[in-house]
Amino acid sequence: MNGVTIGQAAAFVGVTVKTVRHYHKLGLVREPERDSSGYRRYGSADLLRLVQARTLAAAGVPLAEIGPLLDADAALFTAALADVERHLTQQIEELTARRDTLHRLADGDRALLPDRAVALLERMAGLGFAADETAATREGWVLARALVPEGFDDYLTHFEHALDDPGLVALGRRAAEAAAWEPDDPRIAELAATAAGHYLANPALLKTVTGLQARTEAGTRYMLIAHHGGERTPAAARLAELFEAELRAAGIRIPRP
Amino acid sequence: MNGVTIGQAAAFVGVTVKTVRHYHKLGLVREPERDSSGYRRYGSADLLRLVQARTLAAAGVPLAEIGPLLDADAALFTAALADVERHLTQQIEELTARRDTLHRLADGDRALLPDRAVALLERMAGLGFAADETAATREGWVLARALVPEGFDDYLTHFEHALDDPGLVALGRRAAEAAAWEPDDPRIAELAATAAGHYLANPALLKTVTGLQARTEAGTRYMLIAHHGGERTPAAARLAELFEAELRAAGIRIPRP
DNA sequence: TTGCACCCTGACCCGAGGTCAACCTCAACG
DNA sequence: CGTTGAGGTTGACCTCGGGTCAGGGTGCAA
């Protein structure tokens, strides 16, 4: 009749009855003697073992390792404790990092793109590009980074230079407007020619087009990035098509859909 | 032919292919279109969704909640984010606390008893009690705390006062010696009478006997605590029996085994 | 003696994936 | 042109740390 019941033992160490029985089944904690009615009776040594096991389990040690650990000699045990502690510290850091990521997720989709890219998008918005245009650009970048992560930084650098060119910025804004035109508007061909001329006159600029391409074996990937939005207007599609045709005519290698 | 394969998508968000498919099965992320060969093809919108889902999942949000959460409107979403963040912070605190308790594990006493109780045991040792006596006391305390946690602090307070009484301390030490006597040694009855007299003369002292008892409906619990060690010597058993009989004769209610 | 809380065993369920099998497809190489 | 290797497809079962349910036995107070 000496010893506490499983419910009291469980309450003492702060777990459920089922958990204690689970530990017995796994051999992690020895089963105590039973009383005349078959109830388990826990003595102080059993409680000690339970507390030790529970503390390790709560710290994330796999249950299968806890038994051997508690049976090991003191030197081995303290070494393992230090190990567990390092693990915990690392976990804390990870959680903290996640919390910060969530923070960023709350004020925009910064989580998807590096800060540098986000800054560029903000600069675009400041330069007069419409919100849906920068949004489309952002989506494209997300894809680009997924496909060619190793070339993305270079691409951003080229893009930064491009934003330094006021003529190009004006062209970009006009292209954004063009999306709303009729597909057969003659101004589209005109705009495509002007843009192609500007690009061809400025070889560094061409790298925003060819830079990523060089990294991908197959041109299909470029197509994906350039044409990522199937929801583009017909006018925008035609503008892109004409623009690419002009570049191709000038000897720039651009894959076809 | 536009879109990335599942492997690329998985690599981008930092999970395995299987995990992405798992998310599809749970309806957490919509399945993208298939290409002519049956491969899933992920576009930028799919990747965006995947990253969002992954970020929430990594923060510990149950997968079943993530879908609705991402479909909810912005206000609801940011509220949920704040909630998740609070949860994370709490988790970090918990982990930190666990790391601290790990330190106490190396020493069994500290794991099972509050610092105050451990200090009292050390004081007992300093007062000349034998090691096995303090060990037995410790075991009794562990059980007592498991059985009657809400009365344990009061009990410790009474015990502290008891240690301030030099006469009582001397009696305790003598009782410890008595365990080695023959069970029919006449000094045992004498000692029991002296001890009972000391207790009865000092009502506050009686609380170390009756204090815990008041908290338990059934006297059996007291018995458990007082007689927890079945391994006591016959002499010690007889001393306890006579001592209890004296108190009972004086009108103190003490349960029988 | 009737409740009620607690104990017993055993079997199945859960989340968040991992593993294995059997087969299909793509890209590159000789 | 065939082969090879990597990566895609489904489906079924495994894992860990327990939770839940079913069907029954105990202990104690009213």
Side-chain angles (χ1 to χ4, degrees):
Chain A
M1 191 65 59
N2 55 2
V4 305
T5 70
I6 194 172
Q8 292 167 319
F12 181 56
V13 304
V15 302
T16 69
V17 167
K18 192 67 214 281
T19 298
V20 174
R21 288 203 276 248
H22 192 52
Y23 289 177
H24 291 325
K25 204 166 301 179
L26 297 189
L28 196 162
V29 173
R30 193 207 48 145
E31 287 230 17
E33 307 287 303
R34 310 289 183 116
D35 64 15
S36 58
S37 65
Y39 288 12
R40 295 172 181 86
R41 289 294 176 166
Y42 296 80
S44 65
D46 300 310
L47 291 182
L48 172 60
R49 177 82 176 201
L50 265 180
V51 168
Q52 291 174 328
R54 184 56 204 167
T55 307
L56 290 177
V61 180
L63 298 193
E65 292 175 18
I66 291 180
L69 210 59
L70 289 180
D71 294 332
D73 68 52
L76 214 157
F77 181 71
T78 52
L81 270 195
D83 208 64
V84 168
E85 209 181 314
R86 269 193 300 102
H87 188 75
L88 268 187
T89 306
Q90 184 193 328
Q91 232 180 74
I92 290 171
E93 275 163 19
E94 265 170 37
L95 279 185
T96 309
R98 275 203 231 304
R99 195 180 49 180
D100 296 347
T101 305
L102 269 187
H103 242 1
R104 275 179 286 138
L105 200 76
D107 38 86
D109 321 9
R110 291 160 195 280
L112 284 170
L113 292 173
D115 288 345
R116 199 172 146 219
V118 175
L120 270 178
L121 286 173
E122 277 162 11
R123 198 169 144 209
M124 273 184 75
L127 284 172
F129 285 92
D132 59 344
E133 180 72 1
T134 60
T137 303
R138 184 177 59 73
E139 285 212 3
W141 286 3
V142 170
L143 263 187
R145 203 158 88 94
L147 286 165
V148 212
E150 70 283 6
F152 191 64
D153 259 11
D154 283 352
Y155 173 78
L156 284 186
T157 304
H158 295 314
F159 200 90
E160 266 164 7
H161 294 329
L163 283 191
D164 288 339
D165 178 344
L168 190 68
V169 169
L171 273 173
R173 274 202 304 262
R174 192 154 164 77
E177 290 165 19
W181 299 344
E182 291 299 315
D184 55 359
D185 192 313
R187 288 175 297 173
I188 289 182
E190 191 186 322
L191 180 57
T194 313
H198 199 100
Y199 271 72
L200 288 170
N202 196 339
L205 214 53
L206 273 173
K207 296 211 169 152
T208 60
V209 176
T210 60
L212 284 179
Q213 208 186 129
R215 315 265 181 169
T216 70
E217 314 85 33
T220 59
R221 293 197 172 176
Y222 162 76
M223 296 313 296
L224 172 60
I225 296 172
H227 301 178
H228 69 274
E231 341 75 16
R232 300 187 316 158
T233 67
R238 179 149 168 70
L239 175 59
E241 192 186 312
L242 290 174
F243 173 69
E244 287 175 5
E246 295 258 2
L247 291 188
R248 242 179 248 120
I252 309 295
R253 212 168 54 82
I254 294 186
R256 256 165 237 284
Chain B
M1 190 66 59
N2 55 1
V4 306
T5 69
I6 194 172
Q8 292 170 313
F12 178 56
V13 304
V15 302
T16 69
V17 168
K18 192 67 214 279
T19 298
V20 174
R21 288 204 276 248
H22 192 52
Y23 288 179
H24 290 326
K25 203 166 301 180
L26 297 189
L28 196 161
V29 174
R30 194 207 46 145
E31 287 230 18
E33 307 287 304
R34 310 288 184 115
D35 64 15
S36 57
S37 66
Y39 287 14
R40 294 171 180 85
R41 288 294 176 165
Y42 295 81
S44 63
D46 300 309
L47 290 181
L48 174 60
R49 176 83 176 203
L50 218 41
V51 168
Q52 291 174 328
R54 185 58 204 166
T55 307
L56 290 178
V61 180
L63 298 193
E65 292 175 18
I66 291 180
L69 211 57
L70 289 180
D71 294 333
D73 67 53
L76 215 156
F77 182 70
T78 52
L81 271 194
D83 208 63
V84 168
E85 206 182 318
R86 267 193 299 105
H87 187 76
L88 271 187
T89 305
Q90 184 193 327
Q91 235 181 74
I92 290 170
E93 276 163 20
E94 265 171 37
L95 280 185
T96 309
R98 275 202 231 302
R99 197 177 47 181
D100 296 344
T101 59
L102 265 188
H103 278 313
R104 322 181 80 203
L105 251 196
D107 183 351
D109 283 358
R110 294 195 181 286
L112 286 170
L113 291 172
D115 286 344
R116 200 174 146 217
V118 175
L120 270 178
L121 286 173
E122 279 162 10
R123 198 170 146 208
M124 271 183 76
L127 285 172
F129 284 91
D132 59 344
E133 179 73 1
T134 59
T137 304
R138 184 180 62 73
E139 285 211 4
W141 285 4
V142 170
L143 285 179
R145 200 159 90 94
L147 284 165
V148 208
E150 70 282 9
F152 191 66
D153 258 11
D154 282 353
Y155 173 78
L156 283 187
T157 302
H158 294 315
F159 200 91
E160 265 164 8
H161 293 329
L163 283 192
D164 288 340
D165 177 345
L168 191 67
V169 169
L171 272 173
R173 275 202 303 263
R174 191 153 166 79
E177 290 166 18
W181 298 345
E182 292 300 314
D184 54 0
D185 191 311
R187 289 175 298 172
I188 289 183
E190 190 187 323
L191 180 57
T194 313
H198 198 101
Y199 271 72
L200 288 170
N202 196 339
L205 213 53
L206 274 173
K207 295 213 168 151
T208 61
V209 176
T210 60
L212 283 180
Q213 208 188 129
R215 315 265 181 170
T216 70
E217 313 84 33
T220 60
R221 291 198 173 176
Y222 161 76
M223 295 314 296
L224 171 60
I225 297 172
H227 302 178
H228 69 275
E231 341 76 15
R232 300 185 315 157
T233 68
R238 179 149 169 68
L239 174 60
E241 193 186 310
L242 290 173
F243 173 69
E244 287 175 4
E246 296 258 2
L247 291 188
R248 242 180 247 120
I252 309 294
R253 212 168 55 83
I254 292 185
R256 259 165 233 282

